[in-house]
Amino acid sequence: MGIRIRATGTSRSTDTHSVVTHSGRAAAQCLERAGVRPDQVGVLINTGVFRDSNTVEPAVAALIQKAAGIGLDYTRNDPRTFSFDLMNGAVGVVNAVQVAGSVLATGSTEHVLIVAGDTHPSLARSSADAEFPYATSGAALLLEQVDGAEGFGPVFTATAPGTPAGQAYVDTAAMGTVGRTLMTVEREPDFEDRVLEVAVAVAHSALADLDGAFVALIASTPSPRFPGRLADALDIDRDAVRVPDLADGDPHTAALPLAYARASAEGTLTGYTHVLFVAAGAGPSAAATLYRLPAETTA
């Protein structure tokens, strides 16, 4: 049995800066593309970190579920959709894949929907701090269990010892009454090097004993050059690297699903047998998993 990606959804339009709206649109698009009804989704996992107005409660996953039109009726015989936030920075999507695999293996639901996305808490990028490194976007992956070998392999994770390579927080003492519209993001000077080191370690674990495979690489994008540096360290040809549109900055938690959706839409995964997903963030921490593509993709 395997856990495969049934469909993807994305949202990056500029008519709104609400991550709830973007993630809800991506989720709805994902279900439409798959031909799956909302009541067939048993679990929705939100991995986004930077959210509208620094919302803490309720769980943003519940707001996204509502925006996507999932589980809005609540009568005696209606199927239930459970949603929750899983926040581990840029690593969150791969963590969610691991959780989704465990959920689907129980047979308790047909599909698990993973959503990701971030935004500046002010919801007005024109007035946001120009140094805020993350783009506004939403992305979704619809996962299902299938017979056969295709789909995700084991998830490998690691966290480097020592202090975080970066952090984000609301300085309530300094921000006063405008704290819901501001966020402080700090990165150590060696941020990228420290994150790269742990990313290389988990990627090697995911690639171990893989012979005769043609692997495309999709990785986090803390900088535009990071995926290429990771490919070099893994001895993967840079032509095999697939990235999202980085014109507006780092999509952060949405980087992996956006890149996969773009590569799928453009047909640039044809000829590859696997995709290596590597997520890495400020912990510094990283997670990696190898995804075996369906036969029709590799032909």
Side-chain angles (χ1 to χ4, degrees):
M1 303 292 284
I3 305 299
R4 74 170 181 182
I5 300 171
R6 172 72 177 269
T8 63
T10 63
S11 178
R12 302 195 73 170
S13 61
T14 58
D15 64 320
T16 179
H17 297 295
S18 166
V19 75
V20 171
T21 300
H22 279 295
S23 296
R25 287 175 178 174
Q29 181 189 83
C30 192
L31 297 185
E32 182 179 1
R33 287 176 172 175
V36 168
R37 302 186 312 273
D39 60 82
Q40 293 176 278
V41 178
V43 177
L44 183 150
I45 306 173
N46 169 48
T47 65
V49 174
F50 298 97
R51 58 267 300 272
D52 303 1
S53 304
N54 287 326
T55 299
V56 176
E57 293 289 348
V60 174
L63 302 178
I64 294 169
Q65 179 182 339
K66 179 181 178 181
I70 299 172
L72 299 187
D73 296 324
Y74 198 78
T75 59
R76 181 182 297 272
N77 297 318
D78 282 339
R80 303 288 187 260
T81 299
F82 178 58
S83 60
F84 60 92
D85 294 337
L86 189 163
M87 293 186 294
N88 192 21
V91 184
V93 163
V94 177
N95 294 148
V97 166
Q98 188 173 27
V99 172
S102 298
V103 171
L104 289 167
T106 68
S108 57
T109 183
E110 297 178 77
H111 302 90
V112 174
L113 187 61
I114 298 172
V115 294
D118 297 278
T119 192
H120 192 281
S122 68
L123 301 183
R125 296 304 294 241
S126 61
S127 63
D129 186 340
E131 296 183 359
F132 187 74
Y134 305 118
T136 297
S137 63
L141 296 174
L142 184 67
L143 305 187
E144 64 181 5
Q145 186 169 258
V146 294
D147 295 328
E150 70 180 82
F152 288 101
V155 172
F156 298 88
T157 63
T159 301
T163 59
Q167 58 183 336
Y169 59 91
V170 177
D171 187 343
T172 54
M175 295 176 179
T177 60
V178 296
R180 295 198 68 182
T181 66
L182 299 174
M183 177 69 70
T184 298
V185 179
E186 297 177 348
R187 287 181 171 179
E188 296 299 317
D190 59 349
F191 174 91
E192 186 173 315
D193 290 337
R194 292 177 63 194
V195 170
L196 179 64
E197 183 177 0
V198 69
V200 170
V202 294
H204 276 307
S205 296
L207 289 171
D209 301 322
L210 186 66
D211 296 323
F214 295 93
V215 180
L217 173 64
I218 290 178
S220 295
T221 52
S223 75
R225 66 176 188 164
F226 183 85
R229 292 186 66 194
L230 179 60
D232 292 344
L234 298 173
D235 198 25
I236 294 175
D237 195 306
R238 286 201 175 199
D239 288 341
V241 176
R242 301 291 177 264
V243 297
D245 182 354
L246 299 176
D248 299 324
D250 176 18
H252 197 223
T253 61
L256 302 188
L258 284 174
Y260 181 81
R262 180 183 186 184
S264 297
E266 295 176 352
T268 58
L269 295 177
T270 301
Y272 292 95
T273 60
H274 296 74
V275 174
L276 175 64
F277 288 99
V278 184
S285 60
T289 183
L290 201 60
Y291 182 78
R292 182 188 289 271
L293 290 163
E296 59 266 25
T297 304
T298 62

